[in-house]
Amino acid sequence: MPISSIEIVGSAKTGFSLWKGHLFAPGTSDLDIGIVDGTLFLKMFEAAFSASKGFSDESVFSSKKDADQFKWNLNHGICVPRLMPRCPEKTKWLLLFGALSRENKNLFSSVSAYIYASEKFFEMKQIAAIDKFLAQKGIE
């Protein structure tokens, strides 16, 4: 995957959270990563689809809420691996990001990533965060 497919987002990039409004605090704030890669998105989508029998078996998700949220995000071009049904791809992902979090605990409370189907979906998610921030500040 090209390095240009990986984006730092959130307070680690802007210095403050667009969603929650707090300032970035080294060692306390998390590191959020956006991976824009249609092939990886499709691989994870297919793994979730198979593991859940076409999303008909929600018992493989941690909760009904996670299943609903995972499917909503997929419909918006975003794969959130921590919400996936139980499957080897989710396990590998959580192990990788758990290790990254432990290795960088002096810098970040955790390291996590979302996968975007395309640059357009990534852009739309960032615009939504900016719009929410501006609305909270009363700026149109």
Side-chain angles (χ1 to χ4, degrees), residues 46-55 57 60-61 85-89:
E46 289 173 346
F49 188 84
S50 294
S52 64
K53 299 177 178 65
F55 300 112
D57 180 6
V60 295
F61 288 89
R86 287 183 299 280
C87 62
E89 291 79 3

Side-chain angles (χ1 to χ4, degrees), residues 39-95:
T39 302
L40 180 58
F41 177 88
L42 184 58
K43 177 184 175 183
M44 299 298 264
F45 186 149
E46 289 173 346
F49 188 84
S50 294
S52 64
K53 299 177 178 65
F55 300 112
S56 65
D57 180 6
E58 292 187 344
S59 71
V60 295
F61 288 89
S62 295
S63 67
K64 169 91 168 103
K65 181 181 174 185
D66 281 1
D68 291 344
Q69 198 172 4
F70 182 75
K71 291 184 282 186
W72 187 91
N73 280 306
L74 281 183
N75 283 332
H76 292 84
I78 307 165
C79 176
V80 182
R82 69 175 170 74
L83 299 175
M84 289 177 69
R86 287 183 299 280
C87 62
E89 291 79 3
K90 176 183 181 177
T91 300
K92 289 177 192 173
W93 189 271
L94 295 179
L95 287 172

